Amino acid sequence: MHSDKVRRRQTVLAVSFLLAAIFFLTAAANAAPVKNLIVLIMDGCGDEQLTLARWFKGAPLALDDMRTGAVKTYTSDAVIADSAPAATAYATGIRTAGTMIGLAPPVKNIPGLPPSAPELALKPQASVLEGARLLGKATGIVVTSRISHATPAAYFAHVGKRSQEEDITEQGVYQGIDVVLGGGRRYLLPAQAGGSRQDQEDLTAVLRSRNYQLIEHKDAFTKISEPKVYGLFAMSHLAPEIDRPDLAPEQPSLAEMTQKAISLLSTNKNGFFLMVEGSQIDWACHANDPAHLLSDLLMFDQAVQVALDFAKKDGQTLVLALPDHNTGGLSIGNRRSDETYDKLTPEILLAPLKKMRRSAPALWQSLGADRSPERIREAVRRDWGLDISLEHARQIADLAKTFGQEGHYALGEVICPHYTQLGWTTHGHTGGDVPLFAYGPSRPVGLLEAQDIGRLSARALGFDLELLTMRLFVEAGQAFPAEAVQLDRTDPHNPVLRIQHQGRQAALPLNKNLLLLNNEQVALEGIVIQVAETGKIYLPLEAVHRIKGDSKPLPAIQK
Ligand SMILES: [Zn+2]
């Protein structure tokens, strides 16, 4: 009797130890390193810009405490990156080519660059945002450009060229992103409603039918306490930060949008993924425009502070901040300082910059059609506080003609070498490594490859990008016999994939997440896309299962 009791107690103990061990093992296997991920991208930036911003601010940047390494930015076909392949590497973990968004590169043999994988050539690659959504996390995009611009697009779209902004915006709408804040309303609306859509679709109606709140003024922020939200505050891009208070007071700042996005997304108990872009740092550097650069970069740093404050309190959030590439070739010091650089005080460096009150594009636009040297001289005195010579004003007028639409590029090119201590080497991008900043659990350290950012992002959230790609992008021609699949182009702007399978009729419009099966509509977990470069169409595995009547569960995206 007594020994029986002991034995029973021992058994109970052993079983509970076993259960505890199983619990801990499974918990360890399922536990992702972080609950939330915030990626903040300063487009077209480098160390010299950050040093200049720190001098200008006269105090440390929020970024300063987060420095952990650097990232190599070359693409699969060039030593200097465009934003499209650069952001694709960060979003999908695949280094790509040209101006492709969310696709693996074509096979090219370029001596000196690592070869790309032939089996992936021109295939869509799933993104960190798509994976976060499949894990039940909330997702958000916050930018100061059109939301269809290359960097944000890489997180939610799959197209051969970044210029396909109509397709990009549509794919974004059907990705079900919870919070989208930025510019680019014109790609939501058909041409007859004042928009830019050739397919005549009104995506604002689609968003409303999917229970989104659509806002166009920052005052509406106070009325919104939960997702889903589309806040597009301009038909095209938002205003440069330095001009915003005067020229576009209805637009929120990048830090305000970041704050709002985090407060909305963090209501999801499964966590969230948020991508934030300081989109215009790049444009300021393209233009060699210190006024636009400093105001937008310091506002980006405020957005970083917002993310950091949340992450510090939360303890389960990884924050990454980094440029996608560098632009402009900025230097503190130029030919004027060749003989005097060791006597350059902060006061001398900052004196001309402190007087600037407008971005170069706003200054240039204020001239209207009269771009005479006299008017240019007057506008530079008024907006940049600099008394330039009539000869330099004449040089600006002449140079501006060679820049066409980008006439304002002439301002920085002529003024910086003569009236500031700043040098610029190009109006294009540059190819150096970019600084990496990170805070939180499993933060990356050291010199990384661009695609490492995508892979470590997915790893931090606890999923595998390759498994995700296999689940979201199945080539139609591989899942079904060729004769069963047809692309219906009756409406050339809205092609529909039609599949016949054992008497079932399926219709899947491109760029959407919809399946019409025997007249019943299903919202899919991913979008249907066509890669124009190969003509191939990809659909989520979920659609293949439904069409085939296959009820087995979809494969996990965790390894
Ligand atoms: Zn650029």
Side-chain angles (χ1 to χ4, degrees), residues 282 286 325 327 429:
D282 175 60
H286 274 290
H325 56 73
T327 301
H429 295 179

Side-chain angles (χ1 to χ4, degrees), residues 271-490:
F272 68 88
F273 166 74
L274 171 63
M275 181 274 192
V276 176
E277 185 196 30
S279 319
Q280 304 194 16
I281 296 160
D282 175 60
W283 310 344
C285 293
H286 274 290
N288 301 351
D289 175 356
H292 191 179
L293 165 63
L294 286 165
S295 55
D296 268 63
L297 185 48
L298 287 172
M299 179 49 73
F300 177 86
D301 193 58
Q302 284 188 43
V304 171
Q305 186 68 60
V306 167
L308 207 52
D309 289 345
F310 173 83
K312 282 183 177 164
K313 219 179 286 167
D314 176 69
Q316 309 172 77
T317 301
L318 174 63
V319 180
L320 302 176
L322 71 171
D324 53 348
H325 56 73
N326 201 345
T327 301
L330 175 69
S331 61
I332 297 171
N334 60 17
R335 294 278 176 243
R336 273 177 90 208
S337 60
D338 276 357
E339 310 296 328
T340 56
Y341 60 78
D342 59 352
K343 295 172 197 70
L344 180 61
T345 62
E347 205 185 344
I348 300 171
L349 171 68
L350 298 175
L353 310 178
K354 292 274 187 200
K355 296 179 194 161
M356 297 177 171
R357 293 280 171 269
R358 276 274 181 273
S359 71
L363 186 163
W364 194 249
Q365 202 162 15
S366 76
L367 296 172
D370 179 5
R371 288 161 187 174
S372 64
E374 292 76 14
R375 285 286 315 280
I376 291 173
R377 202 175 166 206
E378 194 186 298
V380 170
R381 191 180 298 136
R382 183 195 63 215
D383 288 347
W384 278 13
L386 299 174
D387 197 9
I388 65 169
S389 71
L390 201 57
E391 174 49 30
H392 285 140
R394 204 169 287 129
Q395 284 179 23
I396 292 169
D398 290 344
L399 185 61
K401 289 176 196 143
T402 68
F403 285 121
Q405 294 277 22
E406 316 293 355
H408 66 281
Y409 281 20
L411 291 164
E413 184 171 330
V414 174
I415 290 172
C416 284
H418 295 104
Y419 301 92
T420 75
Q421 305 292 323
L422 302 179
W424 298 92
T425 57
T426 174
H427 287 289
H429 295 179
T430 63
D433 301 340
V434 293
L436 171 65
F437 304 86
Y439 174 86
S442 69
R443 67 177 195 164
V445 173
L447 177 61
L448 307 187
E449 302 287 336
Q451 69 272 28
D452 293 341
I453 298 296
R455 293 182 191 168
L456 71 90
S457 295
R459 214 178 305 129
L461 291 176
F463 67 92
D464 180 78
L465 283 163
E466 269 172 57
L467 294 177
L468 179 65
T469 294
M470 291 195 300
R471 178 150 147 186
L472 287 183
F473 298 102
V474 179
E475 203 229 308
Q478 291 199 330
F480 300 95
E483 63 276 12
V485 179
Q486 180 222 341
L487 187 64
D488 178 353
R489 289 188 169 280
T490 312

Side-chain angles (χ1 to χ4, degrees), residues 237-275:
H237 306 300
L238 301 188
E241 177 55 31
I242 195 169
D243 307 324
R244 186 180 59 83
D246 286 345
L247 302 183
E250 75 283 4
Q251 297 175 5
S253 72
L254 187 65
E256 288 168 333
M257 292 193 288
T258 304
Q259 181 78 66
K260 191 67 198 176
I262 290 174
S263 77
L264 296 173
L265 297 170
S266 59
T267 60
N268 184 314
K269 64 179 188 337
N270 296 322
F272 68 88
F273 166 74
L274 171 63
M275 181 274 192

